[in-house]
């Protein structure tokens, strides 16, 4: 009886709305409820590859308009460009709600950025005035020709006329001039080889180190965060090169849509690749965002597991499998987050010296060698052990974070190649705390080398600098002189076996 009554009331209120009478306080709420339900059932937004998206001048115009409108809003408006960017990082004080909350270096990296993009996209859509607009993604991962920064983001090279253009892209690749990101920067095969979403002690996993609480800048980066994520940031440089300013550059959002898409694809590889849904912290820790009406919203991992059913969006490549050479590796040697080893850690000092030394990384590769007297170095891996490489006392200038590739036992004279068995990982300084120890799980690499008998009586560790900025023949204009590469120092390298 009362059920009948309330249904009649609802119907009555709705008919008020259609008659244009909005005087009753509860009417707008109910009508919005119905509208949202209707949308939820009918609209799944498709995030398109920007190279397809930009074939439509209307879509590019809507994207430009949305960015332009957001940029015109004041910084204390949660739906403004500045407020959204400051949520990622800012030096502005006082900090407003949710500013400086991006999550790097932990297993919250993927879910946090998914939520961030989701609400940003809703704000952008509303600002653009186009109810069909979805955020495109920049697929620098699969098609070589698409490693060039998409044209709408660099032409016209005018920040007033083109809201997608940013002059401060001054990293080692001249992206505004049309130079393509090198294959080594965007490679994701080594990240996809990982079958574990997280790792409990280092970042060596697809998604980062397990922690119980979010970390704004922690050192447990997963493989995909190191490469391609960090590498793309640093190669573009300028605003993108620093987490504090990165989200001010419009290309940030397309870069992250691609990272979010790669997360989907990684899951689709199967082979035990799953989200950590058993982890209550990952599932339930909440983060704050703002919707298009400036309302603060809380969200947690369990709400972003399935983009199509929970967040109303999907990518335009739902079924294609990855064409990056994932299958060529041996997944059986992949480390697992559950792996536990002998309880006493053993340690080798690489290039042990009684005096305090500081190593400085520069353009020429630096190789350190463990003493061959060290028993551990002769047989670094025993069954079921976890081998970790630690670079201690790392310091760098935040202005210009860079990264170094790390190789184990790279033969003399060999050209360093991240697809070779000597490649151990990347020392990636983007968003790393400015002083600290950087750890990398190298179990796979040493077990591989041991199997090939390439782990003799000693271990060498080689640091290789990224390629220098290559000037592009068709550059549009010089934005500002290339900054010198920041200096990176560290106090030593150790390898521990556990
Ligand atoms: Cu939160 Cu690509 O950075």
């Amino acid at each position: 009886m009362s059920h009948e009554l309330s249904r009649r009331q609802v119907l009555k209120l709705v008919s008020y709305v259609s008659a244009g009478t909005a005087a009753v306080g509860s009417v707008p709420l109910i009508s919005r409820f119905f509208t949202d339900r209707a949308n939820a059932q009918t609209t799944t937004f498709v995030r398109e590859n920007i190279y397809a998206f930009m074939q439509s001048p209307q879509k590019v115009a809507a994207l430009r308009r949305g960015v332009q409108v957001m940029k015109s809003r004041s910084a204390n408006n949660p739906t403004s460009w500045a407020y959204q960017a400051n949520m990622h990082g800012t030096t502005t004080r006082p900090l407003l709600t949710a500013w400086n909350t991006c999550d790097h270096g932990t297993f919250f990296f993927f879910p946090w950025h998914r939520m961030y993009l989701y609400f940003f996209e809703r704000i952008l859509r509303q600002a653009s005035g186009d109810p069909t607009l979805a955020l495109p993604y920049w697929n620098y991962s699969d098609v070589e020709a698409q490693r060039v920064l998409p044209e709408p983001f660099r032409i016209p090279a005018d920040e007033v006329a083109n809201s997608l253009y940013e002059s401060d892209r001054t990293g080692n690749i001249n992206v505004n001039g049309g130079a393509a990101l090198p294959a080594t920067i965007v490679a994701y095969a080594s990240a996809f080889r990982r079958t574990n979403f997280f790792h409990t002690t280092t970042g060596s996993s697809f998604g980062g180190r397990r922690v119980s609480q979010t970390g704004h800048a922690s050192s447990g980066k997963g493989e995909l965060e190191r490469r391609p994520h960090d590498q793309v940031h640093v190669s573009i440089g300028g605003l993108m090169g620093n987490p504090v300013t990165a989200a001010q550059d419009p290309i940030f959002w397309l870069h992250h849509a691609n990272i979010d898409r790669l997360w989907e694809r990684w899951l689709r590889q199967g082979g035990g690749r799953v989200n950590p849904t058993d982890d209550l912290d990952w599932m339930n820790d909440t983060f704050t965002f703002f919707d298009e009406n400036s309302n603060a919203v809380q969200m947690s991992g369990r709400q972003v597991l399935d983009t199509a059913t929970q967040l109303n969006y999907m990518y335009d490549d739902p079924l294609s499998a990855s064409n990056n050479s994932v299958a060529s590796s041996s997944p059986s040697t992949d480390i697992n987050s559950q792996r536990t080893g002998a309880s006493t850690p053993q340690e080798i000092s690489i290039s042990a010296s009684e005096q305090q030394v500081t190593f400085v990384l520069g353009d020429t590769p630096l190789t350190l060698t463990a003493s061959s007297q060290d028993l551990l170095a002769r047989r670094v891996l025993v069954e079921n052990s976890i081998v970790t490489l630690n670079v201690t006392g790392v310091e760098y200038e935040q202005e210009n974070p860079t990264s170094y590739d790390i190789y184990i036992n790279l033969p003399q004279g060999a050209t360093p190649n991240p697809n070779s068995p000597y490649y151990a990982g990347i020392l990636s300084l983007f968003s790393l705390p400015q002083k600290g120890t950087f750890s990398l799980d190298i179990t796979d690499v040493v077990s591989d080398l041991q199997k090939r008998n390439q782990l003799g009586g000693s271990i060498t560790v080689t640091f290789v600098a990224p390629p220098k900025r290559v000037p592009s023949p068709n550059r549009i204009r010089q934005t500002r002189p290339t900054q010198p590469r920041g200096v990176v120092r560290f106090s030593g390298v150790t390898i521990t076996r556990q």
Side-chain angles (χ1 to χ4, degrees):
M1 183 64 193
S2 68
H3 180 75
E4 287 264 313
L5 180 68
S6 69
R7 183 196 274 166
R8 261 205 309 278
Q9 282 178 327
V10 170
L11 289 175
K12 200 165 126 196
L13 288 169
V14 171
S15 73
Y16 278 151
V17 173
S18 60
T21 319
V24 184
S26 59
V27 167
L29 271 181
I30 287 173
S31 75
R32 190 160 77 218
F33 172 71
F34 281 147
T35 314
D36 284 353
R37 294 284 299 186
N39 280 346
Q41 279 154 13
T42 56
T43 315
T44 298
F45 294 96
V46 177
R47 291 187 182 169
E48 277 184 289
N49 181 323
I50 180 67
Y51 276 83
F53 180 98
M54 70 196 211
Q55 300 308 311
S56 158
Q58 288 84 353
K59 287 180 185 174
V60 174
L63 180 62
R64 284 207 169 110
R65 198 164 56 239
V67 173
Q68 182 59 50
V69 167
M70 286 180 71
K71 282 182 172 175
S72 71
R73 294 173 179 163
S74 75
N76 57 8
N77 174 347
T79 67
S80 69
W81 190 260
Y83 197 106
Q84 288 290 308
N86 290 347
M87 288 172 67
H88 194 265
T90 182
T91 51
T92 306
R93 295 296 183 272
L95 293 174
L96 302 187
T97 304
W99 281 13
N100 257 356
T101 56
C102 71
D103 197 292
H104 289 208
T106 83
F107 74 162
F108 290 112
F109 169 78
F110 280 103
W112 188 88
H113 286 86
R114 172 166 289 178
M115 299 169 199
Y116 186 40
L117 256 67
Y118 170 68
F119 287 107
F120 171 85
E121 185 182 40
R122 284 172 50 164
I123 295 168
L124 178 74
R125 180 179 303 131
Q126 200 207 40
S128 77
D130 178 349
T132 66
L133 179 67
L135 190 64
Y137 63 90
W138 180 17
N139 185 2
Y140 42 70
S141 305
D142 301 309
V143 184
E144 206 180 325
Q146 297 183 3
R147 289 189 196 136
V148 173
L149 185 71
E151 239 181 68
F153 289 78
R154 51 195 178 85
I155 300 170
D158 177 338
E159 282 168 8
V160 179
N162 181 3
S163 63
L164 304 178
Y165 178 71
E166 172 52 62
S167 63
D168 195 6
R169 292 177 181 138
T170 45
N172 54 344
I173 309 295
N174 184 8
V175 293
N176 272 347
L181 297 174
T184 50
I185 292 297
V186 299
Y188 64 94
S190 76
F192 269 41
R193 276 199 283 274
R194 302 282 179 179
T195 55
N196 52 324
F197 188 91
F198 65 86
H199 190 288
T200 48
T201 52
T202 74
S204 299
S205 57
F206 177 74
R209 181 167 56 210
R210 200 208 100 75
V211 290
S212 54
Q213 284 216 323
T214 176
H216 184 47
S218 306
S219 56
K221 289 162 191 263
E223 293 283 341
L224 199 99
E225 184 179 347
R226 290 179 200 155
R227 184 198 312 269
H229 171 264
D230 286 8
Q231 305 320 302
V232 170
H233 271 284
V234 170
S235 299
I236 295 172
L239 295 178
M240 274 288 273
N242 191 327
V244 169
T245 50
Q248 292 176 37
D249 186 332
I251 198 60
F252 172 94
W253 304 95
L254 280 76
H255 169 40
H256 269 276
N258 193 47
I259 296 297
D260 188 63
R261 184 186 68 97
L262 290 174
W263 178 13
E264 287 285 302
R265 278 213 181 180
W266 176 79
L267 289 170
R268 267 184 267 127
Q269 305 292 312
R273 294 169 178 82
V274 289
N275 286 328
T277 52
D278 291 340
D279 192 285
L280 294 181
D281 294 316
W282 193 84
M283 289 289 270
N284 298 328
D285 278 14
T286 59
F287 304 96
T288 302
F289 299 91
F290 286 90
D291 70 11
E292 66 278 21
N293 301 310
S294 297
N295 295 318
V297 208
Q298 304 278 314
M299 209 177 228
S300 64
R302 66 168 65 249
Q303 292 171 280
V304 299
L305 301 171
D306 185 321
T307 67
T309 60
Q310 294 178 300
L311 303 173
N312 281 349
Y313 78 86
M314 52 190 275
Y315 291 95
D316 62 4
D317 66 338
L319 295 171
S320 61
S322 162
N323 58 6
N324 219 345
S325 57
V326 174
S328 66
S329 73
S330 45
S332 56
T333 62
D334 212 357
I335 48 132
N336 225 297
S337 52
Q338 291 92 332
R339 180 136 108 203
T340 52
S343 50
T344 30
Q346 293 172 279
E347 188 170 272
I348 317 170
S349 279
I350 306 284
S351 196
S353 156
E354 299 310 317
Q355 311 96 307
Q356 274 290 100
V357 223
T358 300
F359 299 99
V360 179
L361 293 177
D363 289 340
T364 44
L366 170 73
T367 298
L368 305 178
T369 310
S371 137
S372 57
Q373 259 84 319
D374 198 316
L375 270 181
L376 187 57
R378 285 187 228 153
R379 190 158 166 72
V380 71
L381 185 79
V382 291
E383 222 189 323
N384 282 330
S385 60
I386 298 170
V387 183
T388 309
L389 178 121
N390 311 288
V391 187
T392 54
V394 180
E395 280 183 84
Y396 70 103
E397 292 155 19
Q398 197 181 16
E399 262 309 291
N400 213 3
T402 180
S403 58
Y404 290 84
D405 282 330
I406 301 177
Y407 292 85
I408 308 286
N409 285 16
L410 181 72
Q412 280 214 326
T415 311
N417 172 359
N419 292 318
S420 72
Y422 313 104
Y423 175 72
I426 193 159
L427 169 63
S428 175
L429 299 169
F430 178 83
S431 84
L432 201 69
Q434 262 173 288
K435 190 172 167 85
T437 295
F438 172 86
S439 295
L440 195 64
D441 185 322
I442 55 167
T443 313
D444 288 358
V445 188
V446 295
S447 98
D448 233 57
L449 293 175
Q450 206 157 32
K451 271 189 233 149
R452 295 164 190 257
N453 263 325
Q454 280 167 319
L455 214 57
S458 62
I459 294 185
T460 66
V461 177
T462 303
F463 296 84
V464 181
K468 282 214 153 171
R469 183 184 177 109
V470 203
S472 152
N474 58 336
R475 85 169 46 180
I476 297 163
R477 68 170 164 142
Q478 187 67 39
T479 50
R480 67 164 137 122
T482 309
Q483 293 165 334
R485 183 172 280 152
V487 176
V488 178
R489 294 189 172 79
F490 62 91
S491 58
V493 175
T494 61
I495 290 181
T496 51
R497 180 172 75 196
Q498 218 161 356

